[in-house]
Amino acid sequence: MTETVLITGGAGFIASHCAVLLLRQGYQVRALDNLDVQIHGVERRPPAYLDKRVELIIGDIRSPRVVKRALVGADVVIHLAARVGVGQSMYQVADYTDVNSRGTAVLLEAMVERAKRRPFSRLVVASSMSVYGEGLYRTAAGTLAPSVERTPQRLKAGLWEPTDASGNLLEPLPTPETKPVSMGSVYALSKYDQERLCLLVGRAYNIPTVALRFFNVYGPHQALSNPYSGVLAIFAARLLNNRAPLIFEDGEQRRDFVYVGDVAEACRLALRCDAAIGRVFNIGSGRSVTINQVARLLADTLGVAIEPEISGECRMGDIRHCFPDISRACSVLDYCPRTTLEEGIGKLVEWLDGRVAVDRVGEALTALASRGLTV
Ligand code: UD2
């Protein structure tokens, strides 16, 4: 029998890739999305990239009536709906908390009600690497340092690398799911809320739930004109407008960029794997790179000779290094990231061809600086 999947945030970048993959697997796909202006523009039209076979319900995740309707006949749910912007979350506190945390609560209440008549076979919730704050580090003496934070004083002095109590530099290590969480932004806190709410309510009401902590997801369909989206989309928007990418700090901060197709595959696996129920998984590519490296790779792949500009600024709440240990996802989910950064950036660049991006980075930095949210 054909299974129906409801994807919340279903007109978004990650959702569009999940939809294609799941349609190919024989699922019927329904999307619930409010077509947020920041992502979809003032016209709020359904995006051209969304597969025509997807049934799109336009509405808000916070509306019990809309969510109830979206759940009719759904067998599984992938919950991706969220406001996504670390910096912006620090001044739109009520809205981020409302959409992400309360929106998830509304979804869960509706699922619990519906499950009385017909159970769900899975709920997959998109959590985030942001719940870790700084990643895991090791001291020079070889002990693990799981609770590192950078002080504003050091950041103001341009001392970007975290140190131990005696001022010795720390070595970043792959972060496992067992590292204690440490939320440094309202966005991160709301993603942790989403993750915990889903796991907790899922467990109480027998809705088999899996949480995926996505690292830095990139690829085609990423919102180019949203200055709060991922760094690769932001750099692409700058380069398409013949402007230099602005690199914060010194560009030596490390991240794991995971291709969106691999993230969609992780979602598919989480729908199927019973051993995953009730657990959280890091979803990354398994390779870390510096922001300087990705900036260069993107410019080279685009074939533009614009040097990135090191701004020496830092956004409040930004972390220095965080990249995942993905061994749990590999062994339990059978997750195996297939797209290398070079291939993924190649696909991003192909998609960028002929696209127009409004570069709003300056606006976003001013918004942050005027609130004292930059260092
Ligand atoms: C944040 C979230 C992550 C995810 C992502 C969405 C944290 C720790 N992580 O990751 O969960 O939601 O956002 O995109 O909250 N950078 C520049 N120039 C720019 C923009 C960014 O140098 O114009 C740097 C930035 O300082 C950071 C790195 O690039 O060191 C990555 O930034 P990001 O905003 O793409 O993502 P990140 O890792 O803060």
Side-chain angles (χ1 to χ4, degrees):
M1 217 187 72
T2 313
E3 278 194 295
T4 298
V5 53
L6 169 67
I7 310 180
T8 71
F13 145 63
I14 298 177
S16 68
H17 292 266
C18 288
V20 170
L21 183 66
L22 294 172
L23 284 164
R24 215 184 296 139
Q25 298 280 320
Y27 285 88
Q28 274 191 2
V29 180
R30 184 180 299 149
L32 170 64
D33 203 295
N34 69 341
L35 301 180
D36 189 287
V37 177
Q38 193 162 300
I39 313 287
H40 299 281
V42 279
E43 282 136 22
R44 302 180 72 175
R45 269 201 224 107
Y49 60 64
L50 193 64
D51 194 291
K52 295 290 166 280
R53 291 165 292 175
V54 173
E55 179 200 348
L56 176 62
I57 297 180
I58 300 172
D60 199 296
I61 189 77
R62 293 165 293 181
S63 159
R65 189 182 48 80
V66 168
V67 173
K68 183 178 173 191
R69 180 174 147 230
L71 287 171
V72 172
D75 301 288
V76 296
V77 176
I78 300 180
H79 181 34
L80 304 179
R83 293 215 60 197
V84 182
V86 175
Q88 194 176 42
S89 76
M90 298 300 286
Y91 61 91
Q92 296 189 1
V93 181
D95 200 54
Y96 270 74
T97 307
D98 201 47
V99 174
N100 297 2
S101 304
R102 193 166 70 83
T104 301
V106 169
L107 171 70
L108 288 168
E109 281 191 5
M111 287 184 71
V112 167
E113 250 336 277
R114 209 307 295 277
K116 289 180 188 160
R117 298 183 298 281
R118 177 178 165 179
F120 292 95
S121 58
R122 193 71 92 241
L123 166 63
V124 175
V125 56
S127 182
S128 162
M129 50 94 81
S130 63
V131 303
Y132 294 120
E134 284 290 344
L136 181 65
Y137 290 84
R138 182 163 50 203
T139 65
T143 51
L144 294 181
S147 314
V148 169
E149 271 182 34
R150 299 191 291 179
T151 62
Q153 292 84 334
R154 280 185 63 85
L155 294 178
K156 284 201 181 92
L159 298 168
W160 311 119
E161 288 293 338
T163 57
D164 65 13
S166 333
N168 299 312
L169 286 184
L170 298 165
E171 179 198 355
L173 297 178
T175 299
E177 292 85 349
T178 48
K179 192 200 97 86
V181 294
S182 171
M183 282 68 74
S185 66
V186 173
Y187 167 76
L189 187 60
S190 72
K191 288 309 281 183
Y192 194 59
D193 256 4
Q194 290 195 320
E195 173 191 306
R196 289 296 117 184
L197 280 168
C198 289
L199 289 169
L200 186 154
V201 175
R203 193 181 152 125
Y205 290 93
N206 264 326
I207 300 170
T209 303
V210 181
L212 303 178
R213 291 179 177 165
F214 298 154
F215 278 66
N216 295 71
V217 188
Y218 73 97
H221 312 166
Q222 205 161 1
L224 293 176
S225 305
N226 175 4
Y228 297 100
S229 75
V231 67
L232 272 172
I234 293 173
F235 284 177
R238 296 282 294 179
L239 290 168
L240 291 179
N241 286 287
N242 289 318
R243 297 204 182 116
L246 281 182
I247 294 192
F248 301 147
E249 306 183 21
D250 60 357
E252 287 305 297
Q253 58 272 42
R254 300 192 85 85
R255 294 291 189 277
D256 177 315
F257 290 89
V258 56
Y259 184 66
V260 64
D262 286 321
V263 169
E265 174 63 5
C267 291
R268 186 188 75 80
L269 292 166
L271 290 177
R272 289 271 148 249
C273 172
D274 287 341
I277 295 167
R279 306 189 69 183
V280 296
F281 297 89
N282 285 339
I283 302 299
S285 74
R287 167 184 166 196
S288 77
V289 290
T290 66
I291 298 305
N292 285 330
Q293 287 168 329
V294 276
R296 186 149 307 276
L297 184 58
L298 180 66
D300 288 351
T301 315
L302 269 169
V304 291
I306 302 177
E307 282 293 311
E309 194 182 307
I310 310 267
S311 80
E313 269 181 286
C314 174
R315 296 178 303 193
M316 195 75 95
D318 255 356
I319 51 141
R320 182 63 174 173
H321 307 292
C322 188
F323 47 89
D325 176 339
I326 58 167
S327 51
R328 182 187 287 181
C330 296
S331 65
V332 178
L333 285 177
D334 215 10
Y335 168 70
C336 176
R338 294 188 197 284
T339 311
T340 64
L341 186 59
E342 290 72 15
E343 285 164 358
I345 288 195
K347 291 183 193 197
L348 174 65
V349 164
E350 232 171 77
W351 175 74
L352 287 173
D353 189 28
R355 228 154 268 283
V356 180
V358 187
D359 167 28
R360 299 207 170 95
V361 170
E363 246 172 75
L365 277 178
T366 309
L368 294 181
S370 69
R371 293 169 172 90
L373 295 172
T374 52
V375 177

